[in-house]
Amino acid sequence: MKAILFGCIFAAVALVGMVMPSVRMMLFMWQPAFAIFFQQFEGLVYAFVTVIAYGFGTLWAWREHRRRFLGALYESGMPGRVEARFTVSDEAFIVDNGRMEYRVRWDAVAAIVSGPTCWMVQVDLQTFTIPKKAFASKDDERAFVAALLDHVRDFVRDGSKDAAAFVAETDQ
């Protein structure tokens, strides 16, 4: 991965090094004083190009690492898509995806937040997302969010105003 990063930087600096004399010559033909003045700032051009190349190289190396890492996980048996089932019981909020099961005690839930496409249940440093498109209807979604709110602590319910407002609203 470092080879990709340094390769991008080297290629960008080499390209600027090849183009810079032509730019300097064109500036000299256009306005000699400006070309002489510009020569003082060529180092800044090299620095700017190096920083941009470093950013692109880092992005490219990260994507390549991610592609290889996920490829190895898929080869070891990890499925490409996992469907989860969310259950509300008196003891816990349960998330089961067929490979792992999470049982979250109600006193661990910190917040229930509505996003544009999902509901988020914040538990300590982990967030469980429940896609809104997973519900058959708004009434099913409203019943699920109401069940969540019925089991959480009072201060969590008070802090989850968007969830409470969603449960309280009615379809016309």
Side-chain angles (χ1 to χ4, degrees), residues 16 20-21 24 35 37-48:
V16 169
M20 196 60 71
R24 198 178 318 117
F37 180 73
F38 177 74
Q39 191 170 3
Q40 305 300 317
F41 295 100
E42 281 185 23
L44 290 176
V45 172
Y46 280 105
F48 178 75

Side-chain angles (χ1 to χ4, degrees), residues 115-127:
T117 59
C118 65
W119 286 96
M120 294 169 275
V121 178
Q122 181 70 41
V123 179
D124 296 333
L125 296 177
Q126 189 168 8
T127 303

